[in-house]
Amino acid sequence: MKALPNTWRFKMSVAGGVCLTTMGVAGLALGDRVPPLDSWILGHLYSRPETTPATIATLVSGVGSLLVLALLLAAASTLLWRRRAQGVRLLPRHGVLLAACLATVALQAAFQRSGPPVTAQDWTYPSGHVTILGALAFTALMVSMELTARWRTTVLAVGVTTLVAVSASRVTLGEHYLIDVVGAVLATVGVGLLAAAALNLRPRPATA
């Protein structure tokens, strides 16, 4: 049987749709209720302001965001340097991809879900901080798909590690519930996959 053309776009679209649907259903199902796990985390892992754990978490949150931004800029610069004509053609599309991922923060207004009472933040689902970080990481990964296998591995490892560390820091600081950061990742990846398929950002075969 002959393979269907653009199968990769279909798979990315389906995966993106699943991520967004999961995020939406979770938000609607929870409403203003707090999952037991989030209650336990708030009661046992919350880092009070001006304590050493809170200082460390704040540092991780800030440094992590800058690290992923630097990773994206490095990947984009490398693409322009190695494949000048192709880079000039592709990077505007990656810019649109980044903008689409960042736009998911607007979903906060749709769910209007209150955050942990220790910080009294409104509309924290999905997490805005993790949305920005996830958008940068996902775009960096898509740019790295135009580069070598080493670049892909590095971006994926650094991106995932930083995303987990920063997400944990936001939760321990009481800025967000765990469900907020998970929702942000699902929304960002979901929109990113759909946008990448629409923009025809097809990954190149990996090279050494």
Side-chain angles (χ1 to χ4, degrees):
M1 182 176 178
K2 186 177 180 180
L4 294 175
N6 293 328
T7 301
W8 69 273
R9 299 179 83 171
F10 174 74
K11 291 180 178 178
M12 291 179 74
S13 297
V14 170
V18 169
C19 288
L20 274 179
T21 300
T22 302
M23 180 267 181
V25 170
L28 292 173
L30 284 172
D32 290 327
R33 294 186 296 275
V34 180
L37 178 58
D38 276 327
S39 296
W40 185 90
I41 290 173
L42 188 61
H44 294 80
L45 302 179
Y46 170 57
S47 300
R48 299 186 180 280
E50 299 181 5
T51 62
T52 299
T55 302
I56 294 173
T58 302
L59 183 63
V60 168
S61 184
V63 173
S65 300
L66 292 176
L67 176 62
V68 175
L69 175 59
L71 192 66
L72 172 58
L73 293 175
S77 299
T78 302
L79 178 59
L80 281 175
W81 177 59
R82 292 187 176 180
R83 299 192 176 95
R84 291 176 178 81
Q86 185 183 45
V88 170
R89 178 174 58 85
L90 286 174
L91 284 183
R93 278 189 272 171
H94 285 106
V96 174
L97 170 65
L98 177 60
C101 291
L102 290 172
T104 58
V105 74
L107 291 171
Q108 289 182 341
F111 292 99
Q112 298 186 12
R113 191 169 187 273
S114 298
V118 292
T119 53
Q121 288 208 44
D122 294 327
W123 300 8
T124 62
Y125 183 82
S127 163
H129 198 108
V130 177
T131 293
I132 294 172
L133 185 64
L136 293 171
F138 187 86
T139 305
L141 180 61
M142 292 307 299
V143 173
S144 74
M145 290 296 177
E146 301 293 333
L147 302 171
T148 63
R150 181 175 297 179
W151 260 103
R152 297 182 189 189
T153 301
T154 300
V155 171
L156 182 62
V158 173
V160 171
T161 301
T162 306
L163 193 59
V164 170
V166 172
S167 295
S169 75
R170 306 308 293 172
V171 173
T172 59
L173 286 170
E175 299 287 340
H176 290 285
Y177 289 119
L178 177 62
I179 189 63
D180 295 336
V181 299
V182 172
V185 173
L186 287 172
T188 305
V189 172
V191 169
L193 289 170
L194 290 170
L199 293 166
N200 196 25
L201 290 173
R202 182 174 186 174
R204 293 168 55 90
T207 57

